[in-house]
Amino acid sequence: ATQPEEVHRCAFGEHRLRFLQTPYFLIQNQLDSYQLKVLGAATDKYGDFSAPWLRIALANRTRKATTFEPSSSKSNRNGFKDTFPPYGLFSPACEKHCLSLHSSFTKVNINGTTVKDAYVLWQTHLKKNMIGRNHSSPYNNVAIKMRWVDNCDGPSECGGGCVTYKSSGKKKKNDKKTIERVLKKGRGTTGKRMEETRNKMKRGKRSSKVALTLGNDTLSRIEANYVCVNLDWWPKSKCDYGTCPWSGASVLHLDLTTPGLEDALQMLGGAPAQKAASGVRLRIGGSLSDLVHYTQLSSSSTGKESCPPDFKGDNHTRIGYDLAGACLPWKRWTQIAYFCKRVNCELIFMINALRGRKKIECPEKIDCRHNFKRNPCCTAWQKGSNWNSTNALEFLKKVAHAASINNNSPRIFGFEFGNELAGRKGIQAHLTPQNYGDGFLELKRMVDDLWGNVVEEVRPKIIGPNSAFQEKWNSEFLRYISDHGEKVDILTSHMYTLGAGVSPKVPKFMLMPTKLDHLKAKAETAARVVSAYGGSTTALWVGEAGGAYNSGRANATDAFISAFWFNHNLATLATAGYQAFCRQTLLGGHYGLLRLVPDIHKNEQKRRQRTNRGNELPKPRLRAVPNPDFYSAVIWNRIIGTRVLKVELNMIKAPGGEKLRGWGFCMQGREGGDQGGVVLLLINYSEDSEVQVILPPQDIAPWAHTERVDYVLGPHKGDLYSKELELNDRLVELEAAGKKIPDIISRGVKVGAGAPLRLKNLTVAFITFPRAQYHTCIDAKNKSAHSSSGSNSNSNQDHSNRHLESSEWLFTEAYTMVAMMLLGFLLACAVIEVFRRHRRRHLNRLRASSILIPLSEEEEGEEGVGHTLSVFSRDVTQTSTSSVARRRTSPLRQGNEEIG
């Protein structure tokens, strides 16, 4: 009530002290990790917790708020009244939230006093001084103030006291520079890890070589706009792990006039030259879709139907919100529809699949949001309770009618049926394939009836099951639909390959290609299921993927480091047979392609501060600006074509090459379709090794020796956790004073034909060959034009028809390397032999001049020596005349002759 703009402060004890009228014992951790995030000390770019200077600021504020003294005035400087009850305070420099729930609760101490001991002492003292007193009277005369407070300059392990910094008798300044200097010296694990990563990236001196070959066949095909984007229903009250990143991003409350939003969707919608082509697909769905009611559907509607205007939190459900849900008024639908029309996007809308089904109630005390695994009733629904399609039918009728009378209405690409309700991996329900399939078939019949006069190519598609892939469940579902004479237009699966957003391993997993490669086997299994039970008419999509579930992870899924898992997943799934990939989200959570920031220039902000002179500044309007993954999505939709090619990587020189991953695609032509260009996606996961990619020789692969255009994405200043990125070593910044998203497609760097291809460490590269004229990448309608365009195209085609296979080229390369090694070995042997001959001649001369030099056993057997000199023999056979003459003149020889 006293701070309506910051209601969340009421959840914390130090802000409720002024209202207490009874004695209390407060346990307040000065560096509570939950408060660090919720109270505004947002996580920094270095990793898991808040910036150190923000930690210390929070600790000082907590100590100030909790260690107050009575004042003679009406209220002291901290806002507390004079009359307050007796209290005890235990405030360690600890980072744990809800300390009393941890096993270390009894071990935490301040100067040797544990929290248990402190409480016993305070309670004993309280009872002793309160005997015979009137508890309803003011407490200002009762001096019971017992405090145990750590006075540290930084965070410490719970129970260790102030062990991080040692006091030298002088008060240290808790400024940003001091803490940064401490972290760089290695006293902070987060700063130390980041410093090591930066040093490795600066070094990058190691080099490796990898040979790349490109196959002739098409592995699979993808949609022209492969990346689609999601908008979710989560309200601003949606919080995960202490952060609430959904403010202003809900489908119900998103300001569709937000600057930058339309520009972003248009940029994702394909090449500007493709005027007639459809734009990006915008999916509106999520877990709360099954709680949405459609209202204002008839002229008699009052607009006051019995459903709340927004979702209400409730821990009695698995998803944490009341099953009463919220309303989607027809007016809001039309706003979304015409917004989509303006940006030339196609809508995918999720239909409520739980309406009419009856939930099994749980006891009131059960917390289903946090303890659903122990309580099956949290996700149990009555058997035989089927979907009630009445509300959905009214909504679809009005949508179809609006499309029939208005040619400017947006195209509805498809309708999804329910969100994550399938089998044991369902969230709010665990429907069987038959139960879910009945509702799916009913929705399909409704759409076929309402859009029956529309050609099948543009008729809205029915999409499901929109859950994590389960081989058995999906096989039974596809078989059930097929047995009823229908087909599933698009089978979708949801993927969060990095695990929960709360896990500190999320950034680590992003840089582990071996872990990311596990996705390939799962994707191929899904493709086999669709091929076996769905046939060639059923497409396979990723309906939702954001890296880490539960809103993602701050400074990971919204930073540059996210590019490593995002592009890897996109390419791996395309290779396995997935045809589209819907990113969670366009806006909202920590995994959005866009984020909201104040739409105000720095100079304008300074001007406002001068004019207001200390008064509270008005809240500026928000603007949507890109996160790093946005630019990857733009490149996928505007450069990469529809054909996926086979790429093989073979390491020539290690180490480092084993951390390179590569994929091949046909390149999207200017007028749409594939017109002969080639795109290579290469990701170097190595932290300290540059990789040189060796392309096939020109007589085998002419495409590899044409002019290319490179798009190399790297972290800004080597900071993987930055929300900025560099394209070809240049920072990508907003244009027009921060009001325009740059077109990075025009910023590619042209490289001459045959130039070496080198990838820096920790980079993502899109290497394009626009003039490759690769025969596999030429559409049938364009082949006749290319065949008559000139001898260059014919020459490339002839080369393609008679060139060596990839394995033969690799064998040739290997043979060449072996031959060079053998030649070097023979040369070394020749040098050694020359040296040995020279040594033998030298020894012979020495022996000829002095017979006291014996031969070794090895030298006795060598060719060219063959004789043993003896000091007792006067006859030296097979020697030269000069040697004999020298021996006869030797005094030692003469002495030996006399002795003999």
Side-chain angles (χ1 to χ4, degrees), residues 443-642:
L443 176 62
K444 187 170 181 59
R445 285 191 291 267
M446 290 162 51
V447 171
D448 289 342
D449 292 341
L450 295 173
W451 276 270
N453 58 345
V454 179
V455 294
E456 187 174 359
E457 287 74 12
V458 296
R459 186 182 305 169
K461 295 174 173 53
I462 309 302
I463 306 170
N466 317 305
S467 296
F469 179 78
Q470 304 160 81
E471 183 176 359
K472 182 179 179 181
W473 195 99
N474 281 271
S475 300
E476 294 180 3
F477 168 66
L478 289 172
R479 190 186 300 113
Y480 185 78
I481 300 299
S482 179
D483 292 343
H484 285 74
E486 295 289 349
K487 66 174 183 177
V488 178
D489 295 324
I490 299 175
L491 185 86
T492 57
S493 56
H494 292 183
M495 296 183 179
Y496 291 91
T497 55
L498 303 175
V502 70
S503 173
K505 295 182 180 180
V506 168
K508 177 182 177 181
F509 289 159
M510 291 178 175
L511 298 177
M512 291 178 60
T514 52
K515 177 176 176 58
L516 297 175
D517 291 341
H518 293 166
L519 178 63
K520 181 179 180 181
K522 299 178 181 179
E524 290 175 347
T525 300
R528 285 196 302 270
V529 169
V530 170
S531 178
Y533 301 102
S536 59
T537 57
T538 299
L540 182 60
W541 282 28
V542 176
E544 185 178 305
Y549 58 82
N550 287 348
S551 302
R553 182 172 181 82
N555 301 310
T557 49
D558 56 356
F560 176 79
I561 194 173
S562 180
F564 293 97
W565 79 264
F566 184 41
N567 287 285
H568 185 286
N569 278 21
L570 287 169
T572 300
L573 294 167
T575 304
Y578 280 78
Q579 294 170 302
F581 184 106
C582 293
R583 172 64 184 253
Q584 176 81 351
T585 61
L586 172 67
L587 188 67
H590 294 304
Y591 37 38
L593 296 180
L594 305 175
R595 68 183 186 275
L596 294 175
V597 299
D599 184 21
I600 183 172
H601 196 265
K602 291 182 179 180
N603 294 333
E604 176 67 14
Q605 188 176 15
K606 292 179 181 179
R607 186 189 66 80
R608 288 191 182 187
Q609 290 175 347
R610 288 195 300 269
T611 56
N612 282 271
R613 293 185 180 181
N615 296 332
E616 184 178 357
L617 295 174
K619 292 184 178 180
R621 189 178 182 184
L622 299 179
R623 167 176 290 275
V625 298
N627 283 327
D629 279 352
F630 171 82
Y631 297 106
S632 293
V634 170
I635 293 177
W636 273 88
N637 280 359
R638 294 182 55 181
I639 288 183
I640 292 181
T642 59

Side-chain angles (χ1 to χ4, degrees), residues 34 38 235-246 321 369 551:
Y34 180 67
V38 173
K236 64 180 180 180
S237 59
K238 162 72 170 173
C239 300
D240 294 292
Y241 319 123
T243 62
C244 306
W246 292 92
Y321 284 89
R369 184 181 181 188
S551 302

Side-chain angles (χ1 to χ4, degrees), residues 295-307:
T295 60
Q296 301 179 5
L297 300 178
S298 63
S299 57
S300 60
S301 298
T302 61
K304 299 180 180 180
E305 286 82 355
S306 58
C307 65

